Amino acid sequence: MKNGKQNSSAGVLIMDAEAIRRALRRIAHEIIERNPRLPEIILAGIPSHGVEIARRIADFIRGIEKIDLETGIIDVAMHRDDVGTRGELPVVRASKLPLPLEGRSVIIADDVLYTGRTVRAAMDAINSFGRPARIQFATLIDRGHRELPIRADYVGKNLPTAANEKVRVRIGSANEPDGVWLLKPDR
Amino acid sequence: MKIAESTPSSNKEGALRWNRKDLLSLRELSSQEIDFILDTANAFKQVGTREIKKVPALRGKTLVNFFVEPSTRTRTSFELAALRLSADVINISATSSSLTKGETLKDTARNLEALHADILVLRHSSAGAPQFLANRLEASVINAGDGAHEHPTQALLDLYTIREKRGKIAGLHVAIIGDILFSRVARSNIFGLVKLGARVTLVGPSTLVPREFEKLGVQISHKIDNVLPSADVVNLLRVQHERQRKEYFPGTGEYTRFFGLTKERAKLLKPDCLIMHPGPINRGVEIDSEVADGLQSVILDQVTNGLAVRMAVLYLCGGIST
């Protein structure tokens, strides 16, 4: 992937760094609008891209409202329901959430919403730490093909895809620009 | 990704992938594999602090704790680790099994497999018994101590505890003190510590610490007072009365006089030296009560960490698709 120009190996560029920035800034505004009590919010990212997305949304909200939201990390690997059926075992990491969760609003952040199984696992992980007042979900991309009754509260971009296509996200890389690409299946 | 933390060795592209169904020894593991287990254990340690101390990672899997030699702490540690991963657990001990009726190890194991057990945790008095079964069974086999051969999860929890308390293992001086000859804990610790770059000194009477061990890349001393001042970690082994024969062992009073970590001897230690013991401790024999309960002692941390390490091992070995 060179600098995000359209080419066959990198797929089709869907969002460049500026489009991602604007989408996340809009999500920050929507979160402010829908959550009158901002200090109750915990922005919790799913590793690894979701963690960066949560951090950026928190940066925007700090810029707009002059308030530091608490952030967290949710490990989903040990809460997945498909261990032993996938070729590769997911790497488990420690979750990091400010406790207690009672009375808080946890907003899960991730890069791509697809089947919904990752978000379900994230909700299970959160519930094992306590019982937040509410859980919301923010995603940079919603590509459809849900397998569970789950929807996102905040969406950066709706991207209709075929099931055999792939969505590639790069965000927070040290030396390459952010971007979202749609990869067609190899023929 | 500024906030993303931990597991530096495993979250990079092209990083290690775990592909072992069994954990039989530390001798066969690479230092990367050992680090990977310790990183995974780090994630699982946190589960014990949650309101709901259970994750669904091994839901639907059946684990058999098959303990041909008596053990309480290792068995319960494996049992609790499995329960926290949502596996179903059955415990079979030597006295309750048909081994006392003459069934062979292999037949017993095949019967367990016919029950569709996914993970077999084996404690056995014969070295090599876990390897024997691992070669013949589809189930994952975890060595929970085989004769005087190895006790890999004990060494892993020792390594984890050292890394947690001191931030590293490479370059530390670790003294393993006591009955080395009969100790599977010592063997597994030696392999693990040497692979991760620690300097290891074995201390004990010459009958229990033969020169042979120098081949494993460790130093040997028969004078504890010479070793204690430079140690960063002392790992005291239990005097295994059940394995001793008279000609090897001087008697407990004499052992304490020459090799016990008494209150007076503990003053030789550096203030930040860790005191470890795999348990159960013989108070007043290999360690004085004041020392075992003192500030430098991490004996109870070892128990807590054992749970996390065993969760990691069960998750990694039991979670791969075969």
Side-chain angles (χ1 to χ4, degrees):
Chain A
M1 281 180 290
K2 293 278 155 20
N3 41 24
K5 295 282 183 288
Q6 294 194 12
N7 70 55
S8 58
S9 67
V12 180
L13 181 69
I14 303 296
M15 296 176 92
D16 61 11
E18 177 59 17
I20 291 174
R21 198 184 69 81
R22 289 180 182 189
L24 295 181
R25 192 178 57 185
R26 174 173 52 75
I27 288 175
H29 278 289
E30 288 175 7
I31 288 173
I32 294 165
E33 188 181 353
R34 281 192 229 170
N35 294 274
R37 285 199 289 275
L38 283 177
E40 286 178 1
I41 292 177
I42 299 166
L43 275 168
I46 297 173
S48 52
H49 289 154
V51 176
E52 176 67 12
I53 288 169
R55 192 182 69 76
R56 292 196 189 182
I57 293 174
D59 284 347
F60 280 122
I61 293 177
R62 184 184 308 112
I64 301 161
E65 290 288 313
K66 314 292 176 226
I67 178 171
D68 268 315
L69 296 189
E70 286 190 277
T71 56
I73 297 170
I74 311 169
D75 164 76
V76 293
M78 61 178 90
H79 289 272
R80 291 200 64 106
D81 57 5
D82 55 2
V83 167
T85 62
R86 304 202 309 175
E88 196 183 329
L89 202 57
V91 172
V92 297
R93 297 175 176 83
S95 294
K96 221 166 83 177
L97 287 170
L99 300 177
L101 298 180
E102 278 63 22
R104 307 297 297 268
S105 298
V106 180
I107 300 180
I108 303 168
D110 202 3
D111 54 354
V112 179
L113 172 58
Y114 184 28
T115 62
R117 289 179 190 271
T118 303
V119 186
R120 184 208 56 77
M123 288 192 281
D124 282 354
I126 290 167
N127 287 333
S128 76
F129 284 93
R131 188 178 177 280
R134 62 192 66 78
I135 299 178
Q136 299 174 350
F137 179 48
T139 183
L140 180 60
I141 300 287
D142 181 351
R143 63 166 294 189
H145 303 282
R146 217 75 77 237
E147 293 172 2
L148 296 169
I150 279 173
R151 61 164 183 80
D153 299 279
Y154 312 99
V155 179
K157 187 177 182 62
N158 282 298
L159 179 63
T161 59
N164 60 0
E165 291 170 326
K166 281 185 179 159
V167 177
R168 175 173 295 164
V169 175
R170 188 171 65 210
I171 187 164
S173 160
N175 36 29
E176 291 176 295
D178 298 340
V180 178
W181 293 265
L182 184 63
L183 282 69
K184 304 283 181 192
D186 297 329
R187 252 180 286 268
Chain B
M1 283 162 284
K2 306 291 183 300
I3 324 179
E5 44 149 30
S6 79
T7 62
S9 67
S10 50
N11 58 10
K12 282 177 254 157
E13 287 278 355
L16 178 85
R17 284 183 197 165
W18 185 262
N19 56 8
R20 293 178 185 272
K21 83 169 175 74
D22 310 303
L23 179 69
L24 304 174
S25 70
L26 287 203
R27 177 178 240 161
E28 67 185 357
L29 297 187
S30 66
S31 61
Q32 289 83 5
E33 285 175 307
I34 294 172
D35 277 331
F36 187 70
I37 296 173
L38 301 183
D39 290 342
T40 305
N42 207 32
F44 280 116
K45 179 167 185 183
Q46 189 210 39
V47 174
T49 66
R50 297 185 190 178
E51 199 168 291
I52 296 170
K53 299 170 182 56
K54 201 172 171 107
V55 294
L58 292 184
R59 191 172 55 188
K61 302 259 184 191
T62 302
L63 176 140
V64 176
N65 255 333
F66 188 27
F67 278 61
V68 180
E69 264 192 342
S71 156
T72 307
R73 82 185 53 215
T74 305
R75 186 183 58 72
T76 47
S77 181
F78 269 111
E79 182 169 0
L80 192 51
L83 292 173
R84 288 196 171 162
L85 294 169
S86 304
D88 297 310
V89 181
I90 42 176
N91 291 300
I92 300 172
S93 61
T95 45
S96 71
S97 80
S98 296
L99 288 177
T100 51
K101 300 173 192 161
E103 190 176 59
T104 65
L105 176 61
K106 189 181 171 190
D107 283 331
T108 306
R110 289 179 62 86
N111 277 280
L112 296 174
E113 193 164 56
L115 298 171
H116 299 294
D118 301 287
I119 305 170
L120 179 62
V121 178
L122 180 68
R123 159 72 59 96
H124 203 279
S125 52
S126 297
Q131 177 82 62
F132 176 87
L133 290 181
N135 295 345
R136 284 160 182 79
L137 298 179
E138 271 185 38
S140 293
V141 177
I142 312 296
N143 181 4
D146 57 335
H149 175 230
E150 282 221 37
H151 191 348
T153 58
Q154 176 68 44
L156 287 167
L157 75 90
D158 292 343
L159 295 169
Y160 183 95
T161 305
I162 297 170
R163 200 178 79 161
E164 178 183 61
K165 301 288 174 192
R166 300 300 301 264
K168 59 170 186 174
I169 289 170
L172 294 182
H173 180 206
V174 181
I176 304 175
I177 299 166
D179 174 6
I180 310 289
L181 183 59
F182 292 100
S183 174
R184 53 195 174 211
V185 175
R187 259 179 200 73
S188 289
N189 259 287
I190 292 165
F191 292 128
L193 287 165
V194 169
K195 279 173 205 249
L196 297 187
R199 182 160 74 86
V200 180
T201 305
L202 308 179
V203 184
S206 55
T207 48
L208 297 175
V209 187
R211 289 270 158 211
E212 290 271 82
F213 278 93
E214 287 178 342
K215 290 177 192 157
L216 302 177
V218 299
Q219 292 164 306
I220 282 173
S221 171
H222 304 304
K223 291 208 166 58
I224 186 170
D225 293 352
N226 295 350
V227 177
L228 293 181
S230 66
D232 298 300
V233 178
V234 292
N235 199 346
L236 302 160
L237 301 178
R238 184 173 65 89
V239 172
Q240 304 190 76
H241 301 289
E242 71 275 17
R243 283 184 219 280
Q244 294 300 348
R245 296 217 309 266
K246 271 210 173 67
E247 53 268 38
Y248 288 110
F249 193 70
T252 53
E254 200 177 334
Y255 181 86
T256 306
R257 196 148 2 107
F258 286 103
F259 297 104
L261 190 60
T262 57
K263 215 167 59 176
E264 292 70 39
R265 264 203 188 105
K267 289 174 187 156
L268 296 172
L269 294 170
K270 292 197 258 184
D272 60 349
C273 178
L274 304 178
I275 297 171
M276 305 176 72
H277 192 300
I281 58 178
N282 294 315
R283 285 174 187 269
V285 181
E286 67 264 358
I287 186 167
D288 270 0
S289 270
E290 291 91 332
V291 182
D293 303 330
L295 289 173
Q296 287 173 274
S297 164
V298 293
I299 295 172
L300 293 177
D301 297 274
Q302 290 174 269
V303 177
T304 306
N305 293 339
L307 197 53
V309 161
R310 290 182 176 112
M311 286 175 79
V313 167
L314 294 178
Y315 172 78
L316 291 173
C317 292
I320 64 163
S321 55
T322 42

